[in-house]
Amino acid sequence: MPYSLLRPLVLLVPLTASACVSDDLPPTGSDATESGDGDGDGDGDSGDGDSGDGDGDGDGDGDDDPGLLVGASGDAFAFGPYTMIADAKVSIIELPDFQTTTDAEGHFAFDGLPAGHNASFVFERLGFPKLQTKTFMLPADGEVERITFQAPDDATYAALASIVGIDPDPATCQIASTVTRVGKSIYDQGAHGEAGATVEISPSLPAEHGPVYFNANVIPQKDLTETSDDGGVLYTNVPPDIYTITAHKDGVEFEPIVVTCLAGVLVNASPPYGLQALE
C-alpha cells in the first residue's frame, strides 16, 4: 500500500471501522522465533543446558543479566502528501511495558529493548484505525531503524473497504504490504513497487480473502493477478493467526514477512520492511 493512496480516495463516502486489539496470540515462525524455551515461564535450571533460566523471562541466560539491549526507531506517515503524524502512541505487542509517543516530526524511538525478542509495533491515534507493523526479531548487532507506519485516516480506511467491497469484521484483521523494488522505500517519492510479482500467504486462505493487488493508479483492483508499479497488495477479513507472506517473480528474490494478525487491527508491513526485493 503506497503513501499516495489518499489522493484517489478522498471523495469517497466514509464508513465506520474500528475495533480493539487483543494480545492473545504469541508470535511464532521463521521471523518470529524467540530465544529460550518459547514459553517464557522460566522453567529451566541454570547450568543444566535447558533454555529456561528460572528468572521468568525465558531467555535462557542462566542469571540475572538482562542480556544485550538494543534500540528501535522509525516514523509515522499519513497517506496523501508527505505529512507526518505527531502525538501518536506507539507500543509493542510482545513488550507491553515499552510505550512512547511520536514527536512533532512523526518520529519515535525506543531504547533498552531485549535483543532476540519479537517486536510488533503498534500505532494508535484518534481518527485513525489501529495500525501494526510486521513482526520483527530484534537483532543483536545494532538498532532497528526506519520502522514505518503508513496510516490511513478513518475516512480513507472506510473508502478502501468500500472499493474492495467488504465490511471490516472486528473479529479479524486486515493485512497490507508493498512488494518493493530494490533500494526503494516509503522515504522515496513516487511509486516504488516491483511490478509483475505474485503474493502468497501461509497458512493459506480462501480466495475471497485475497490477495487484492493495487493498480498503477493506486486503487485496489480485484481482477488483477499480479502487482503493478504501485506494488500494493491486500488481504481482507483475515482470521487471527501468525502468517508468513511471500512474493514471487522470476529472477527476483524477496524478503518474506511474518505478521501477527490480531482482531481489529490493520497490519501494514510497509517499506522498507515489507516484501522487499533483495540485491
Side-chain angles (χ1 to χ4, degrees):
M1 289 176 63
Y3 75 90
S4 55
L5 180 61
L6 181 60
R7 184 181 66 251
L9 299 179
V10 291
L11 298 182
L12 296 176
V13 177
L15 303 174
T16 300
S18 62
C20 62
V21 174
S22 166
D23 58 358
D24 294 338
L25 288 172
T28 59
S30 61
D31 193 37
T33 303
E34 294 186 16
S35 59
D37 62 5
D39 61 7
D41 61 6
D43 57 359
D45 299 323
S46 61
D48 65 358
D50 291 342
S51 57
D53 60 5
D55 64 7
D57 62 5
D59 61 5
D61 55 14
D63 53 32
D64 293 331
D65 184 354
L68 182 63
L69 302 179
V70 299
S73 61
D75 300 281
F77 293 81
F79 280 111
Y82 255 66
T83 56
M84 312 307 292
I85 304 174
D87 300 320
K89 174 185 171 183
V90 181
S91 58
I92 304 172
I93 292 173
E94 299 85 356
L95 297 166
D97 291 338
F98 289 86
Q99 296 184 5
T100 190
T101 303
T102 57
D103 65 18
E105 303 299 321
H107 187 72
F108 65 91
F110 291 95
D111 293 314
L113 303 178
H117 207 289
N118 300 325
S120 306
F121 296 86
V122 178
F123 165 102
E124 295 176 83
R125 193 178 189 280
L126 185 66
F128 295 82
K130 188 169 286 189
L131 192 67
Q132 183 185 311
T133 67
K134 77 166 194 174
T135 300
F136 291 81
M137 168 73 81
L138 295 174
D141 57 353
E143 181 175 346
V144 182
E145 299 177 321
R146 303 184 106 193
I147 299 166
T148 57
F149 294 107
Q150 284 184 288
D153 61 22
D154 286 340
T156 304
Y157 182 63
L160 270 172
S162 178
I163 291 171
V164 179
I166 65 159
D167 291 320
D169 182 348
T172 69
C173 80
Q174 318 303 319
I175 300 175
S177 191
T178 303
V179 182
T180 311
R181 299 196 308 275
V182 171
K184 293 293 184 178
S185 79
I186 188 176
Y187 293 92
D188 301 306
Q189 292 281 355
H192 40 258
E194 178 73 41
T198 58
V199 175
E200 295 180 351
I201 191 168
S202 178
S204 61
L205 297 170
E208 66 199 55
H209 296 285
V212 178
Y213 298 104
F214 285 71
N215 63 30
N217 293 318
V218 201
I219 300 293
Q221 185 173 327
K222 297 182 76 171
D223 62 351
L224 291 180
T225 58
E226 61 185 24
T227 56
S228 69
D229 289 340
D230 173 69
V233 61
L234 177 68
Y235 287 90
T236 61
N237 286 341
V238 178
D241 205 338
I242 308 299
Y243 293 93
T244 300
I245 303 176
T246 53
H248 308 275
K249 180 180 178 180
D250 288 346
V252 183
E253 182 181 359
F254 297 93
E255 182 77 20
I257 57 174
V258 170
V259 300
T260 302
C261 171
L262 299 177
V265 177
L266 168 60
V267 183
N268 189 357
S270 53
Y273 294 109
L275 293 161
Q276 206 82 6
L278 303 174
E279 295 187 26

